[in-house]
Amino acid sequence: SQKIEQNSEALNIQEGKTATLTCNYTNYSPAYLQWYRQDPGRGPVFLLLIRENEKEKRKERLKVTFDTTLKQSLFHITASQPADSATYLCALDKSGGSYIPTFGRGTSLIVHP
Amino acid sequence: DTGVSQNPRHKITKRGQNVTFRCDPISEHNRLYWYRQTLGQGPEFLTYFQNEAQLEKSRLLSDRFSAERPKGSFSTLEIQRTEQGDSAMYLCASSPAVPGYGYTFGSGTRLTVV
């Protein structure tokens, strides 16, 4: 069956360090992989999208890598700040036909001052 | 355009009652999606529309759930004969029809069935 796995344990890091979150998937051939931020009681907010033929994408302090051989994406936040504390979700879009984003359960990031 | 708007933000209802939620997407977006999210889980896909056509509805949780988008603009999600297990956050998202763009979510409607 298709699975998207994100670490269910919260990631605790110190302010200024780089946070790295992982998204693994099985039985998917995604055309796109996306990362979202979600704060408690709010809807997810789109951060970055990476295509299957791209290895890396950057936006300000954010970097996403996509390895279709390993079936894994890594999401990095450099110079992390307490304001980066949130849950981060990855989502996959299948290629061909309908594009219905399927989400992982998310990983909680806590940045300590 | 201020993004995706969902109403109400919160809804408390008694078991067995019907509820309806509304979603107003970004006006230029052809696609509209409904998701359900429970505590500690990611959003779970329910259904989606391209303009007024409902292209996928097999993942609606039961026949008590239905959605409409009559004129290809706003959408409604109705739950009939609510059950306590329906308590969740219901999220709406919109996107352009062309793939490869992120999805814009609303703030959600929090449903509590008592």
Side-chain angles (χ1 to χ4, degrees), chain B residues 1 11 14 18 20 37 49 69 103 106 110:
Chain B
D1 199 346
K11 178 72 177 178
K14 290 185 178 178
N18 298 344
T20 300
Q37 188 175 26
F49 295 84
R69 194 182 183 195
Y103 299 83
R110 167 73 65 189

Side-chain angles (χ1 to χ4, degrees), chain A residues 32 34 36 38 41-46 49 51 89 93 97-106, chain B residues 9 31 33 35 37 40-43 45 48 56 59 89 91 99-103 105-107 110:
Chain A
Y32 309 96
Q34 304 174 42
Y36 289 78
Q38 188 172 27
R42 311 293 295 183
V45 175
F46 171 71
L49 177 147
R51 292 171 168 76
L89 302 158
D93 273 348
S98 61
Y99 288 84
I100 301 174
T102 304
F103 285 81
R105 64 185 299 175
Chain B
R9 286 296 314 278
R31 292 198 167 197
Y33 300 80
Y35 284 81
Q37 188 175 26
Q41 301 298 315
F45 171 76
Y48 90 101
E56 174 60 63
R59 304 210 340 231
M89 174 78 89
L91 294 163
Y101 296 90
Y103 299 83
F105 280 83
S107 294
R110 167 73 65 189

Side-chain angles (χ1 to χ4, degrees), chain B residues 63-92:
Chain B
D63 58 6
R64 297 184 296 106
F65 287 70
S66 63
E68 291 184 340
R69 194 182 183 195
K71 296 182 181 178
S73 55
F74 73 92
S75 175
T76 57
L77 177 71
E78 181 181 19
I79 309 174
Q80 296 183 325
R81 305 181 302 282
T82 52
E83 302 173 356
Q84 285 190 322
D86 297 332
S87 296
M89 174 78 89
Y90 290 85
L91 294 163
C92 174

Side-chain angles (χ1 to χ4, degrees), chain B residues 19-38:
Chain B
V19 293
T20 300
F21 310 139
R22 177 176 169 128
C23 172
D24 287 89
I26 291 174
S27 55
E28 306 86 59
H29 286 178
N30 305 93
R31 292 198 167 197
L32 186 149
Y33 300 80
W34 284 100
Y35 284 81
R36 184 180 83 154
Q37 188 175 26
T38 53

